[in-house]
Each structure stands twice: as C-alpha cells, then as structure tokens.
Amino acid sequence: MAGNGLPSLGRVKLTDIAPSEGVPSETFKLSVSTLSHSLAQYSAAIIQFPACDGALLRSGLDSARLYFHQRAACPSAELMQNNDSREWCRTSGYYVDSQMWQETYDYRPGLTPVEPSNGMELPPAGLADIFALYGKASRIILDAISFYLNLRSSPFTEILDNVPLRSREISSSVLSACCYGRPSFHGEHHHKLTPQEDSQLAMYTSDHEHQIDKSLITLVKSDKAGLLIKDFNGRWILVDGDLGPQDAIVYPGLALYQATAGYVNPALLRTDVNNIQGSMYGRCSLSFKLMPKSMTSLSCSEMRAAGHGVDVQFQLPVPVDDFMQRSPSTDQLFNRPNFQNFSFSTSQDGSLKMRRRKNNSSTKPLPPSKRLRLEAQRVLKERVQEIADKKGIKLRFCNLKDCENHIHTLDSPCASTRMEIGWPPGVPFVHPHDLPNKAKMGFLEAYEPVNQLNQFMFCSSIDSQGLSSLQLQNQFHSWLLITSSYQCPDRYFNAQR
C-alpha cells in the first residue's frame, strides 16, 4: 500500500509551461524544472488546467459514470478485452477486462467503433473535446521535458500524429474512459462475495498487479483516488489523492524512455480499488495516451545531437510497431548497470539499480569503476548543465582523442566553453561516459564537495569486497594523485599516461 503521507508531487500550471517565442521567462523555467524533478523523483506530476477546461473534464467524468452505469451487468464474450498487442493502434469502443473488474471505452479519432450487438448506444459525451484538450496538453508537456533535456524545439514531431489528422488517417493516440469495480458489473455475483473474498480480490488488484504504459505521455483524471505509482525509492505512492477539480496526473511511458535513451523513467503503476467499496458507480477516469505513429521509428538521434550519452541498447532505431508488440521486462528496465535518469534531487542518489535491488541479497554491488561513471554522469547533468543553462551555453562535447590536444592550446574550439563553465583543468571536454576512470575522478573532484567525494571513495572501497588491501591502497593513492593534480596539470596527464 502507499505510505500514510501524500508525496509532494510537483504541481504546475499548463499555461506556465506553454512555449512562446523569445527568451524563456523565469516562470517557464521554474515550472519546467518543477515538472522534470517530480517526474524524476515520483515518475508523476500534477498538471493544473485552466478553469474552463476543468469544467469540461468534470462533465466528461459525469458522462462516463452514467454511460457505464447503464451498461448490461454481464457483458458478452465478444466484448472481452483483446490482449493481442498487434491491435494496439486499432482499439475503439467498449471493452471489458473481467479479471481486473475494469470496463473501458476507447475513443480513437478516425476509427468508428462497431457494437457487436448492433444496438444503438450513445458513447460518453464530450470525448472529442476532451481528446483535443488532452492532446494539446500532452504535446506541451512533452516539449517542456525536451526543453529540460536541452533538445531542440518539438523534437518528437516526426513520430506524432498530424494535427489535424489527414484524410483517412487513424489516430495512434487514444482517449479511454475507464470504470473500475462497478458493483453491478457482475450483478448478484459481486454481492455474494464474503468480506474476506472481497478484500482478497482488492488486495490482488492493488498489490500484485502492475503495468507500464507504452505511451510517450499519459494524462489521467479520475473521480476517486486510487492510482499508485512506484517512486524512485521503490515505494508505491498514491498520486491522485490530493487533486483539485482542475488537476490531472501526468506520467511518462515506455516509448519516451526509449526515445530519450533511458533518461526519462517510465512509470510503474497499478490501481487500488479498496476505497470504492459501497460506491454506486465504482471508480471512473479519463485517460489519454499520447502514442507514436505506427509507421515510424523510435530513435535517440536528438539525444545524441544534444550531447547526451547514448548506451549501446539505444543506438539503433526501433520500429514503433515492433516496439509496441514487445513484452517489456521491468528487471531489464530498472536494473541495468548503466541506468541513467535525467534529473535527481539529492546528491547521494547513486544509481537506480542499487536502489531498486537493495533488498536482493544475491545481487552483487556495482564495481567502483561503474559507480564512478554513474556519479560523473549525475554531476554533469546537475552541476555542469545548471551552469551552462544559466550562462546560455550549448554543451557540445569533443572527441576524446582530439580534445587531448585541445586542452593544451588557448584557441581550441572548446577553450572558451571550458573556461566559462569551470571545466576541470586537464580533463578533456567530453561526456563523462567517454572519460577514463581517473579522469572521471578529476571531473568529480572539481564539481563535488570534498567530503562527499571522500564518502563516495569510502563506499566504493566497502563495495569492492574481495579486493586485497594492496589494491585498495592503490585505488586511494590514485585518488590522492588526481586530487593534488590541479596545482600541476602536467602531473595529472603524466599520471594518466
């Protein structure tokens, strides 16, 4: 279950992160930073819509409640949820997942739903207007994340649907009106459950099931709290327990994780139905998934152009249709040795792998060399990027071999940039991912407080169990050599060579 206290999710106004021409305002930069840090810490944030849009969302939820309330108690077999992943961009109309007690009505522009019963049933009202509202908001949020990652404007336009859709085009994105745990869904069968069986079913739904959306961005507005998302520390937190009438939850999906080379975490989520017992309508929500087009590919070229390190598994473009048909492994996602996150709020975060797997006694600790790389990447994203942003500097890193010559000349291509951001003397101007381990230590010593670096070296020595005392002494001696090298850069380079 979620913790007793509600998390302090970042809350931003949609109008504050809307892009505009010219120099970004302080309000824009603060709101983008709040959004990005909340996504990094909790994999979710709260978006506040204007008052007129909040009224549209509330009326949409009311319409969804009435729509599901008038549905038949026992749905037919042809309405059962189709789990075929090949149909990810073709769902439309009413579906049922009886195991999860979930009913869904998918609205997808360009595709007319077909009722198997051939009956005339009116869908929930206002879905077209809500789709347009959510679609515009999700693109604004996506551009705000791109701004924080130092990407160019609207970098994902090529993989998104046309606005508006062209003739005979079908939307990849979808708006889903959902209902969980409606008492009349199973008719009298629900009321025959004993309290013990009922609680076991609710516990199974909330504690043993989780999912990851394959969207770029998902926006959710519900009439009752119950959405749980796993935060950076591995705790399940209730993210929609403190929503106002104009608020909605936003969280990133697996497609954005792939397109940003793993810098943006996909949200791991589940729905808790314990708090809807006795409710006449169950729990209703309006969920919008901003999806990439099926005939495109997810590529990390924009991340590479912005100077971000791209790991091997993200080097090749992935066709969207193939990506949507894969079954993701959460272990593969969250337990990679070189997992990166685009922002951290504290200096002792380390790697996400260590936090996700700290309760697994069979897991070996990361070797110091990998911890150095992860720590250097974190420092670059926090310290150096912050300095560059304040000075309006575009970070474009050099090639390691070329920059070994650059650092000895005053008129090199990167000399002015290194001087403005206080780059460590004698360290090539390349991403820490590409630096030798000793150079990584020099990089960290320049941007981290000495006491934190000492603590890091101490922890690295503890983690490297099995090393001889002579090896540990050599590690410490190398660190002392690098630390003292800033009074004499020549000594530093001689030590590397």
Side-chain angles (χ1 to χ4, degrees):
M1 294 299 295
N4 294 329
L6 292 175
S8 54
L9 265 67
R11 185 189 299 267
V12 298
K13 294 181 178 179
L14 184 63
T15 53
D16 288 344
I17 59 174
S20 60
E21 296 289 340
V23 179
S25 65
E26 292 301 321
T27 300
F28 175 83
K29 291 189 288 187
L30 178 61
S31 298
V32 168
S33 179
T34 301
L35 169 68
S36 302
H37 280 82
S38 183
L39 293 180
Q41 184 69 21
Y42 302 108
S43 295
I46 299 175
I47 298 297
Q48 185 175 1
F49 287 85
C52 57
D53 296 334
L56 176 60
L57 294 177
R58 292 194 301 273
S59 64
L61 285 173
D62 292 339
S63 178
R65 276 195 297 266
L66 294 176
Y67 170 80
F68 290 114
H69 184 63
Q70 57 84 33
R71 294 290 311 193
C74 297
S76 58
E78 53 254 328
L79 293 177
M80 294 299 176
Q81 183 78 41
N82 182 8
N83 293 323
D84 190 351
S85 60
R86 292 171 296 182
E87 300 294 323
W88 69 270
C89 59
R90 300 179 184 89
T91 59
S92 182
Y94 179 78
Y95 298 93
V96 171
D97 188 338
S98 58
Q99 292 184 349
M100 297 298 296
W101 287 30
Q102 177 180 347
E103 302 168 87
T104 304
Y105 186 93
D106 283 348
Y107 172 75
R108 192 181 298 273
L111 190 62
T112 304
V114 178
E115 289 285 350
S117 61
N118 294 322
M120 291 295 295
E121 293 194 29
L122 295 177
L127 294 185
D129 294 331
I130 296 173
F131 183 95
L133 173 66
Y134 269 156
K136 182 178 180 180
S138 60
R139 289 173 185 251
I140 290 175
I141 296 168
L142 192 59
D143 284 347
I145 296 174
S146 302
F147 180 87
Y148 193 83
L149 288 172
N150 208 27
L151 306 183
R152 67 183 181 89
S153 300
S154 304
F156 302 107
T157 300
E158 294 183 359
I159 65 173
L160 295 176
D161 289 332
N162 290 310
V163 179
L165 291 172
R166 303 295 187 262
S167 178
R168 298 184 180 181
E169 281 187 340
I170 298 175
S171 173
S172 297
S173 302
V174 61
L175 173 64
S176 300
C178 302
C179 184
Y180 299 88
R182 177 165 62 98
S184 58
F185 177 54
H186 284 281
E188 296 181 357
H189 175 68
H190 172 270
H191 301 288
K192 291 179 180 178
L193 291 174
T194 65
Q196 182 178 2
E197 292 172 334
D198 202 1
S199 63
Q200 287 176 350
L201 177 60
M203 184 64 69
Y204 174 83
T205 303
S206 62
D207 287 349
H208 298 285
E209 290 292 318
H210 61 259
Q211 67 185 78
I212 302 179
D213 282 354
K214 291 187 176 181
S215 61
L216 291 163
I217 290 291
T218 300
L219 276 165
V220 181
K221 173 70 172 177
S222 58
D223 61 352
K224 295 180 180 64
L227 179 61
L228 302 172
I229 292 182
K230 184 172 286 189
D231 71 355
F232 183 74
N233 297 309
R235 301 171 301 181
W236 287 102
I237 60 174
L238 184 68
V239 296
D240 58 351
D242 188 27
L243 296 186
Q246 300 165 218
D247 296 337
I249 294 295
V250 60
Y251 57 85
L254 203 58
L256 188 58
Y257 169 84
Q258 177 69 31
T260 58
Y263 278 72
V264 181
N265 295 345
L268 193 66
L269 58 136
R270 66 179 184 227
T271 302
D272 183 8
V273 297
N274 284 310
N275 63 341
I276 62 174
Q277 302 300 321
S279 173
M280 180 179 179
Y281 298 102
R283 176 183 180 273
C284 291
S285 65
L286 295 172
S287 173
F288 176 85
K289 294 181 176 63
L290 181 67
M291 307 291 290
K293 294 189 294 187
S294 61
M295 300 304 293
T296 56
S297 296
L298 297 174
S299 170
C300 298
S301 58
E302 294 290 343
M303 296 292 292
R304 193 178 296 108
H308 296 288
V310 177
D311 290 339
V312 176
Q313 60 266 43
F314 299 106
Q315 293 286 348
L316 297 178
V318 179
V320 170
D321 212 36
D322 294 344
F323 178 80
M324 293 298 171
Q325 295 180 43
R326 295 178 183 175
S327 297
S329 169
T330 54
D331 290 336
Q332 183 180 2
L333 287 174
F334 296 112
N335 294 328
R336 297 188 297 112
N338 50 359
F339 185 88
Q340 307 172 91
N341 188 290
F342 75 102
S343 177
F344 300 106
S345 57
T346 56
S347 60
Q348 66 271 19
D349 288 333
S351 75
L352 189 55
K353 174 186 176 184
M354 294 163 57
R355 286 185 175 267
R356 294 292 187 192
R357 302 179 69 179
K358 63 183 179 180
N359 294 328
N360 188 350
S361 59
S362 62
T363 302
K364 295 182 179 180
L366 285 174
S369 61
K370 289 186 178 179
R371 291 192 64 188
L372 287 173
R373 182 179 65 186
L374 292 170
E375 191 71 4
Q377 289 170 345
R378 182 190 65 77
V379 170
L380 174 70
K381 281 170 250 175
E382 286 190 354
R383 307 286 195 276
V384 180
Q385 191 65 56
E386 182 181 358
I387 296 172
D389 289 343
K390 289 181 178 179
K391 295 180 177 290
I393 301 172
K394 178 76 171 181
L395 292 180
R396 293 193 177 276
F397 298 107
C398 301
N399 178 275
L400 177 60
K401 184 175 294 186
D402 295 338
C403 203
E404 288 182 347
N405 296 323
H406 292 171
I407 56 181
H408 296 294
T409 59
L410 297 177
D411 58 346
S412 62
C414 60
S416 60
T417 303
R418 285 188 285 113
M419 184 178 299
E420 285 191 73
I421 63 176
W423 196 264
V427 177
F429 188 61
V430 298
H431 195 281
H433 179 84
D434 301 322
L435 286 173
N437 284 339
K438 289 184 178 180
K440 289 188 180 74
M441 287 302 302
F443 179 89
L444 289 174
E445 199 275 342
Y447 287 98
E448 286 281 43
V450 176
N451 59 335
Q452 292 186 14
L453 191 59
N454 287 337
Q455 181 181 7
F456 175 75
M457 287 301 300
F458 176 73
C459 294
S460 297
S461 300
I462 294 178
D463 285 348
S464 54
Q465 295 177 4
L467 294 177
S468 66
S469 58
L470 178 61
Q471 288 173 311
L472 291 176
Q473 291 176 10
N474 289 337
Q475 282 186 5
F476 187 70
H477 174 73
S478 299
W479 173 73
L480 289 177
L481 180 64
I482 296 165
T483 303
S484 60
S485 65
Y486 292 103
Q487 281 77 26
C488 183
D490 293 338
R491 179 184 178 188
Y492 175 76
F493 278 101
N494 292 333
Q496 289 192 71
R497 293 191 174 96

